[in-house]
Amino acid sequence: MPPPTYRQAVEDAISIVNSASAGDSVAAQKALTALEAGTGHNQPEIIADLTMKPPDLADAKTRLHSLLDALTSPAITTDPDQAHQQLKQVLSMKRYDALHQPPSLADRIGQWIRDRVNELLRLLFGGGKGTSIPVAYFYLLGAVAVVVAAVVIFRSTRGHLDEGAFARGPLGPRAPADYFAEADRLAAGGDRVGAIRALCAGVAATLAGERTWEGSPLTVREIFQHANEPARLRPLLLPFEAAVYGGRDVDPETYKRAEVAAAPFRKPAQAAAA
């Protein structure tokens, strides 16, 4: 038997909810099954109403009728091309720049935790249905894990980026030229990961001062935002983050691009040391 259409699934769910009494969990489960048979998980607010303990059938009913009205009278335009162009113009405005950026590391960690929580719920309770433990508790645990991860990341990117990478250097504040010299030495020895960290340290010291690694509360990405053109530092920042957070190596070509990105910050330091 083929699955019901999207509209039919909504109508079936409305029929069940309309005839149900307040708090009827059996009817709510039937309505949920009927709805998901045709819409999948595309209506999270209605699904949340139907899976509550007890279910919020009144809100689910209102949302289902609104959804049916939208399906009955969809928004249309006589000139789709013009509408699409106007949408592109709106989305190109500066206020929507964040929409075009890739997810941040914290966003990816949060999404990974949410996915694992949902998998655990499906494994333990068959999709999260029938459990006496509120789903919010699992997400609270996930939020705690995100905070812990954020603290670890924050501590790893403030001040001493990699104490081992500079353990052989002098203690206390170091001039940017010292970091760049360290980068050259490490790169010559084949340690491009350590070298790219030293390049980041040199650039950051140029931008934020010699004591940057001794106690700056800012991340490397935040420090680099002080540059006149932060985007020019991406060939240095991205492989640094991949090496620190992802454990990836730095190939010769990537390191060359990082050196080019750091070069404008290296020259003033060299001139000051002369």
Side-chain angles (χ1 to χ4, degrees), residues 174-181 198 201-207 209-210 265 269-270:
R174 300 177 62 184
D178 291 342
Y179 288 116
F180 290 125
V203 171
T206 302
L207 289 171
E210 294 181 5
F265 301 87
Q270 291 175 335

Side-chain angles (χ1 to χ4, degrees), residues 158-206:
R158 61 174 294 185
H160 308 286
L161 291 179
D162 183 8
E163 294 178 358
F166 308 121
R168 293 177 293 276
L171 298 176
R174 300 177 62 184
D178 291 342
Y179 288 116
F180 290 125
E182 184 78 2
D184 292 341
R185 187 185 64 79
L186 292 171
D191 183 5
R192 288 185 294 273
V193 172
I196 206 165
R197 295 178 189 226
L199 284 180
C200 281
V203 171
T206 302

Side-chain angles (χ1 to χ4, degrees), residues 14 20 32 35 39-40 46 50 52 62 68 98 106 133 163 168 175 177 184 188 195 226 241 261-262:
I14 289 176
L32 177 64
L35 180 67
T39 67
I46 300 175
L50 296 175
M52 289 177 63
T62 300
L68 182 60
I133 304 176
E163 294 178 358
R168 293 177 293 276
D184 292 341
H226 289 83
E241 292 180 333

Side-chain angles (χ1 to χ4, degrees), residues 43-121:
Q43 297 298 326
E45 294 85 0
I46 300 175
I47 292 173
D49 285 340
L50 296 175
T51 54
M52 289 177 63
K53 304 295 182 181
D56 189 347
L57 295 177
D59 189 65
K61 180 178 178 180
T62 300
R63 291 181 182 276
L64 283 166
H65 279 286
S66 297
L67 176 58
L68 182 60
D69 290 342
L71 294 173
T72 302
S73 303
I76 58 175
T77 177
T78 57
D79 192 345
D81 292 337
Q82 182 181 5
H84 181 68
Q85 182 62 33
Q86 291 175 339
L87 176 61
K88 289 179 62 178
Q89 291 175 352
V90 171
L91 292 178
S92 65
M93 298 171 65
K94 187 174 182 60
R95 70 179 68 175
Y96 298 113
D97 285 350
L99 295 176
H100 309 296
Q101 300 297 323
S104 66
L105 180 63
D107 292 335
R108 293 196 294 271
I109 292 175
Q111 185 60 54
W112 183 88
I113 292 174
R114 288 193 293 272
D115 290 343
R116 300 295 79 77
V117 170
N118 288 332
E119 289 177 2
L120 178 62
L121 290 175

